[in-house]
Structure formats: C-alpha cells, structure tokens
Amino acid sequence: MALFGNIVQGALGNYSEKTPQELTQEYGGYLFDNEEITMGYQLIRDALIFTNHRIIFVDKQGATGKKTAFRSIHLDSIVEVEMETAGTGLDDSEITITYLTNVFQRSNNESHLTHKFEFPKKTDILPLYRYLGNVSMTNRERINH
C-alpha cells in the first residue's frame, strides 16, 4: 500500500522522503568533492536531493530512465524562502525559494528566479523550511555586507 501511495503522490507532483543513505547509494557517484547528501525526496523516478552545497534535481528521462539530467541550485544563492502548510482536503504543503542567478551576487545587478517544491500533506516540511531559512539569512548577511 505504501508503494501505491508514493506512486499516487508522484503522479500529483509530490515527493516522498528518502534517507540520505538511500540517496547516496543511488546518486553518490554524481556528488562533487566534499559534498554530502543531507536529505532528499523521490518522485517516482526523479529525485530532489539536498547536499551541504546545493539542491540537485535529478530528472530521469525516456522510457527506460537511463538518460538522466542533473540540475543544481547552489545553496549560497538562496536569498528567500516561503512556506505554505497543507490545509484540509487535498491541499499540499509548499516551499518556495528565491535564488540569485548572477554568479557574482552583486546587489546593484541582482537577477533572481523562484522555484516551488510541493510535498504531500503528511510530509513534515518544517525542518526543510528552517534549514533553507537559515541558509537564506546567512546568504543575505554575506551579500549585504
């Protein structure tokens, strides 16, 4: 039954939590030097991985999933985080991050994007929200001083 629940959540665009050990076993070979997985989520074949340096989006493509794309948002670029908890009914929980896209992160030439993560109602997103919030506060202090 749990597998069916994960498939249903995946079909709805939601992630199910995976342990760092499970994700390291599958994706450890793609990490950079001194990079470690701290938490992560699975979406049917795709994955959302948080490391000590970046957020990695794993997109398995095609019928077999052998072709895989890896995209990243570096943690040092995150400057804002918002959270919306699930209500009653079919609502999901959401975390939206705002991140800088300009490499040099100069405040007079700011360029940014947002990305929204949706999680099933049962997922406790508060630890992730607090983690990303602390990252964004540290980044703002570093950038603005």
Side-chain angles (χ1 to χ4, degrees), residues 56-71:
I56 305 169
F57 303 90
V58 180
D59 179 14
K60 293 191 177 181
Q61 303 169 357
T64 63
K66 291 200 182 279
K67 180 178 179 180
T68 305
F70 291 83
R71 292 177 182 81

PDB file of all heavy atoms in Angstrom, residues 56-71:
ATOM      1  N   ILE A  56      19.954  19.447  -5.761  1.00  0.00           N
ATOM      2  CA  ILE A  56      20.121  18.751  -7.037  1.00  0.00           C
ATOM      3  C   ILE A  56      18.769  18.209  -7.480  1.00  0.00           C
ATOM      4  O   ILE A  56      18.071  17.535  -6.712  1.00  0.00           O
ATOM      5  CB  ILE A  56      21.117  17.576  -6.916  1.00  0.00           C
ATOM      6  CG1 ILE A  56      22.460  18.061  -6.364  1.00  0.00           C
ATOM      7  CG2 ILE A  56      21.289  16.884  -8.272  1.00  0.00           C
ATOM      8  CD1 ILE A  56      23.394  16.927  -5.970  1.00  0.00           C
ATOM      9  N   PHE A  57      18.418  18.501  -8.729  1.00  0.00           N
ATOM     10  CA  PHE A  57      17.211  17.964  -9.339  1.00  0.00           C
ATOM     11  C   PHE A  57      17.645  16.856 -10.286  1.00  0.00           C
ATOM     12  O   PHE A  57      18.402  17.114 -11.229  1.00  0.00           O
ATOM     13  CB  PHE A  57      16.474  19.049 -10.122  1.00  0.00           C
ATOM     14  CG  PHE A  57      16.119  20.243  -9.300  1.00  0.00           C
ATOM     15  CD1 PHE A  57      16.989  21.318  -9.195  1.00  0.00           C
ATOM     16  CD2 PHE A  57      14.918  20.284  -8.623  1.00  0.00           C
ATOM     17  CE1 PHE A  57      16.667  22.422  -8.430  1.00  0.00           C
ATOM     18  CE2 PHE A  57      14.593  21.385  -7.856  1.00  0.00           C
ATOM     19  CZ  PHE A  57      15.460  22.461  -7.758  1.00  0.00           C
ATOM     20  N   VAL A  58      17.183  15.644 -10.035  1.00  0.00           N
ATOM     21  CA  VAL A  58      17.533  14.507 -10.876  1.00  0.00           C
ATOM     22  C   VAL A  58      16.317  14.187 -11.733  1.00  0.00           C
ATOM     23  O   VAL A  58      15.246  13.887 -11.212  1.00  0.00           O
ATOM     24  CB  VAL A  58      17.921  13.271 -10.029  1.00  0.00           C
ATOM     25  CG1 VAL A  58      18.291  12.101 -10.927  1.00  0.00           C
ATOM     26  CG2 VAL A  58      19.054  13.608  -9.070  1.00  0.00           C
ATOM     27  N   ASP A  59      16.496  14.270 -13.039  1.00  0.00           N
ATOM     28  CA  ASP A  59      15.406  14.063 -13.988  1.00  0.00           C
ATOM     29  C   ASP A  59      15.758  12.877 -14.881  1.00  0.00           C
ATOM     30  O   ASP A  59      16.577  12.996 -15.788  1.00  0.00           O
ATOM     31  CB  ASP A  59      15.214  15.334 -14.830  1.00  0.00           C
ATOM     32  CG  ASP A  59      14.115  15.199 -15.870  1.00  0.00           C
ATOM     33  OD1 ASP A  59      13.307  14.250 -15.813  1.00  0.00           O
ATOM     34  OD2 ASP A  59      14.074  16.071 -16.766  1.00  0.00           O
ATOM     35  N   LYS A  60      15.154  11.726 -14.574  1.00  0.00           N
ATOM     36  CA  LYS A  60      15.375  10.530 -15.398  1.00  0.00           C
ATOM     37  C   LYS A  60      14.433  10.600 -16.581  1.00  0.00           C
ATOM     38  O   LYS A  60      13.225  10.737 -16.418  1.00  0.00           O
ATOM     39  CB  LYS A  60      15.155   9.263 -14.576  1.00  0.00           C
ATOM     40  CG  LYS A  60      16.215   9.101 -13.503  1.00  0.00           C
ATOM     41  CD  LYS A  60      16.170   7.752 -12.866  1.00  0.00           C
ATOM     42  CE  LYS A  60      17.297   7.626 -11.855  1.00  0.00           C
ATOM     43  NZ  LYS A  60      17.315   6.319 -11.230  1.00  0.00           N
ATOM     44  N   GLN A  61      15.013  10.511 -17.775  1.00  0.00           N
ATOM     45  CA  GLN A  61      14.253  10.752 -18.997  1.00  0.00           C
ATOM     46  C   GLN A  61      14.086   9.485 -19.812  1.00  0.00           C
ATOM     47  O   GLN A  61      14.821   8.525 -19.646  1.00  0.00           O
ATOM     48  CB  GLN A  61      14.967  11.826 -19.822  1.00  0.00           C
ATOM     49  CG  GLN A  61      15.161  13.112 -19.049  1.00  0.00           C
ATOM     50  CD  GLN A  61      16.101  14.077 -19.766  1.00  0.00           C
ATOM     51  OE1 GLN A  61      16.655  13.775 -20.809  1.00  0.00           O
ATOM     52  NE2 GLN A  61      16.271  15.249 -19.172  1.00  0.00           N
ATOM     53  N   GLY A  62      13.102   9.515 -20.682  1.00  0.00           N
ATOM     54  CA  GLY A  62      12.870   8.411 -21.598  1.00  0.00           C
ATOM     55  C   GLY A  62      12.149   7.251 -20.927  1.00  0.00           C
ATOM     56  O   GLY A  62      11.916   7.229 -19.723  1.00  0.00           O
ATOM     57  N   ALA A  63      11.824   6.257 -21.724  1.00  0.00           N
ATOM     58  CA  ALA A  63      11.062   5.107 -21.243  1.00  0.00           C
ATOM     59  C   ALA A  63      11.847   4.273 -20.238  1.00  0.00           C
ATOM     60  O   ALA A  63      11.286   3.728 -19.301  1.00  0.00           O
ATOM     61  CB  ALA A  63      10.631   4.235 -22.424  1.00  0.00           C
ATOM     62  N   THR A  64      13.168   4.195 -20.420  1.00  0.00           N
ATOM     63  CA  THR A  64      13.975   3.355 -19.535  1.00  0.00           C
ATOM     64  C   THR A  64      14.544   4.126 -18.350  1.00  0.00           C
ATOM     65  O   THR A  64      14.949   3.531 -17.359  1.00  0.00           O
ATOM     66  CB  THR A  64      15.161   2.734 -20.302  1.00  0.00           C
ATOM     67  OG1 THR A  64      16.009   3.782 -20.759  1.00  0.00           O
ATOM     68  CG2 THR A  64      14.679   1.886 -21.461  1.00  0.00           C
ATOM     69  N   GLY A  65      14.618   5.449 -18.464  1.00  0.00           N
ATOM     70  CA  GLY A  65      15.194   6.259 -17.394  1.00  0.00           C
ATOM     71  C   GLY A  65      16.711   6.205 -17.351  1.00  0.00           C
ATOM     72  O   GLY A  65      17.326   6.675 -16.402  1.00  0.00           O
ATOM     73  N   LYS A  66      17.338   5.635 -18.395  1.00  0.00           N
ATOM     74  CA  LYS A  66      18.806   5.554 -18.412  1.00  0.00           C
ATOM     75  C   LYS A  66      19.443   6.917 -18.685  1.00  0.00           C
ATOM     76  O   LYS A  66      20.507   7.219 -18.184  1.00  0.00           O
ATOM     77  CB  LYS A  66      19.277   4.521 -19.429  1.00  0.00           C
ATOM     78  CG  LYS A  66      18.921   3.107 -19.000  1.00  0.00           C
ATOM     79  CD  LYS A  66      19.773   2.099 -19.714  1.00  0.00           C
ATOM     80  CE  LYS A  66      19.396   0.693 -19.334  1.00  0.00           C
ATOM     81  NZ  LYS A  66      19.953   0.243 -18.098  1.00  0.00           N
ATOM     82  N   LYS A  67      18.768   7.745 -19.483  1.00  0.00           N
ATOM     83  CA  LYS A  67      19.256   9.105 -19.718  1.00  0.00           C
ATOM     84  C   LYS A  67      18.799   9.955 -18.527  1.00  0.00           C
ATOM     85  O   LYS A  67      17.617  10.003 -18.212  1.00  0.00           O
ATOM     86  CB  LYS A  67      18.693   9.671 -21.015  1.00  0.00           C
ATOM     87  CG  LYS A  67      19.177  11.071 -21.305  1.00  0.00           C
ATOM     88  CD  LYS A  67      18.642  11.591 -22.625  1.00  0.00           C
ATOM     89  CE  LYS A  67      19.146  12.997 -22.856  1.00  0.00           C
ATOM     90  NZ  LYS A  67      18.656  13.538 -24.126  1.00  0.00           N
ATOM     91  N   THR A  68      19.753  10.601 -17.877  1.00  0.00           N
ATOM     92  CA  THR A  68      19.443  11.348 -16.659  1.00  0.00           C
ATOM     93  C   THR A  68      20.049  12.738 -16.733  1.00  0.00           C
ATOM     94  O   THR A  68      21.217  12.890 -17.094  1.00  0.00           O
ATOM     95  CB  THR A  68      19.993  10.609 -15.421  1.00  0.00           C
ATOM     96  OG1 THR A  68      19.481   9.275 -15.417  1.00  0.00           O
ATOM     97  CG2 THR A  68      19.578  11.302 -14.141  1.00  0.00           C
ATOM     98  N   ALA A  69      19.251  13.748 -16.373  1.00  0.00           N
ATOM     99  CA  ALA A  69      19.740  15.129 -16.312  1.00  0.00           C
ATOM    100  C   ALA A  69      19.880  15.532 -14.846  1.00  0.00           C
ATOM    101  O   ALA A  69      19.023  15.210 -14.021  1.00  0.00           O
ATOM    102  CB  ALA A  69      18.767  16.063 -17.022  1.00  0.00           C
ATOM    103  N   PHE A  70      20.978  16.212 -14.531  1.00  0.00           N
ATOM    104  CA  PHE A  70      21.224  16.731 -13.187  1.00  0.00           C
ATOM    105  C   PHE A  70      21.283  18.253 -13.284  1.00  0.00           C
ATOM    106  O   PHE A  70      22.092  18.787 -14.044  1.00  0.00           O
ATOM    107  CB  PHE A  70      22.554  16.200 -12.630  1.00  0.00           C
ATOM    108  CG  PHE A  70      22.528  14.732 -12.334  1.00  0.00           C
ATOM    109  CD1 PHE A  70      22.748  13.805 -13.335  1.00  0.00           C
ATOM    110  CD2 PHE A  70      22.271  14.284 -11.047  1.00  0.00           C
ATOM    111  CE1 PHE A  70      22.709  12.443 -13.069  1.00  0.00           C
ATOM    112  CE2 PHE A  70      22.236  12.921 -10.776  1.00  0.00           C
ATOM    113  CZ  PHE A  70      22.455  12.005 -11.786  1.00  0.00           C
ATOM    114  N   ARG A  71      20.435  18.933 -12.526  1.00  0.00           N
ATOM    115  CA  ARG A  71      20.440  20.396 -12.470  1.00  0.00           C
ATOM    116  C   ARG A  71      20.583  20.804 -11.012  1.00  0.00           C
ATOM    117  O   ARG A  71      20.120  20.100 -10.125  1.00  0.00           O
ATOM    118  CB  ARG A  71      19.156  20.949 -13.058  1.00  0.00           C
ATOM    119  CG  ARG A  71      19.064  20.700 -14.565  1.00  0.00           C
ATOM    120  CD  ARG A  71      17.758  21.179 -15.168  1.00  0.00           C
ATOM    121  NE  ARG A  71      17.684  20.882 -16.574  1.00  0.00           N
ATOM    122  CZ  ARG A  71      17.357  19.705 -17.089  1.00  0.00           C
ATOM    123  NH1 ARG A  71      17.079  18.699 -16.308  1.00  0.00           N
ATOM    124  NH2 ARG A  71      17.305  19.516 -18.393  1.00  0.00           N
TER     125      ARG A  71
END
